[in-house]
Amino acid sequence: MKKFFEDFKAFIAKGNVIDMAVAVVIGGAFGKIVTSLVNDIVMPLISLLTKGVAVSDWKYVITPADEAAGIAESAINYGIFLQNIIDFLIIAFVIFAVLRVFLNVKSKFEKKEEAIEEEKEPEETELDILKEIRDSLKEKADK
């Protein structure tokens, strides 16, 4: 059992796991922000176009409610489904935009690194070293 906890501790201490945990927490918070944006800003604007009917209230009633008989309403709530689709599209768009910017920046850094590597002098070959040795021996012999 001790080995299990040691392995678990080593697993948790790895940087990738911690980075992933941070990303999940930030992603959850971002999801709440987008949901609020859709529910509190986008959908009320859309309801203005529909003469005040909230999108979340859009539904197809299969069986109407009958309070006297104790029957609850059965309906397909396609308005809520529409809100969730808008949530998804906004999140997908933002992730796409962030990844695109990240990949462009990464590409620019890689191009700069390649340019720097190309500017470096070529490494000395064995022939160059042998020539230097020959020249230094020749200088000593001439003295």
Side-chain angles (χ1 to χ4, degrees):
M1 192 67 155
K2 185 177 179 182
K3 174 75 172 144
F4 175 80
F5 286 113
E6 288 174 4
D7 290 344
F8 180 70
K9 182 180 175 183
F11 172 75
I12 291 297
K14 289 183 180 176
N16 293 341
V17 174
I18 294 170
D19 292 343
M20 187 173 63
V22 169
V24 167
V25 170
I26 290 174
F30 179 72
K32 288 181 182 180
I33 291 169
V34 171
T35 299
S36 176
L37 171 72
V38 170
N39 292 341
D40 302 329
I41 296 173
V42 174
M43 290 304 163
L45 292 174
I46 292 175
S47 71
L48 285 175
L49 300 174
T50 61
K51 298 178 183 165
V53 178
V55 175
S56 61
D57 293 338
W58 294 358
K59 59 186 170 184
Y60 175 75
V61 178
I62 299 170
T63 307
D66 187 358
E67 291 181 23
I71 299 173
E73 179 181 75
S74 177
I76 297 172
N77 295 314
Y78 62 90
I80 295 171
F81 180 70
L82 180 63
Q83 281 185 329
N84 289 327
I85 289 173
I86 293 172
D87 275 352
F88 170 78
L89 292 175
I90 291 173
I91 290 172
F93 175 76
V94 170
I95 290 172
F96 169 76
V98 168
L99 284 176
R100 187 163 184 184
V101 168
F102 174 75
L103 292 174
N104 284 339
V105 169
K106 183 179 175 184
S107 173
K108 287 180 183 177
F109 279 121
E110 287 173 354
K111 287 178 183 176
K112 284 183 181 179
E113 287 176 3
E114 289 174 4
I116 290 171
E117 287 180 18
E118 288 176 2
E119 291 177 2
K120 289 182 181 177
E121 292 182 31
E123 293 184 25
E124 280 188 319
T125 63
E126 284 184 42
L127 184 61
D128 294 330
I129 294 171
L130 289 172
K131 285 180 182 178
E132 287 178 23
I133 293 171
R134 179 198 64 197
D135 293 341
S136 83
L137 288 173
K138 195 174 187 183
E139 285 178 18
K140 285 183 181 178
D142 289 341
K143 288 183 182 180

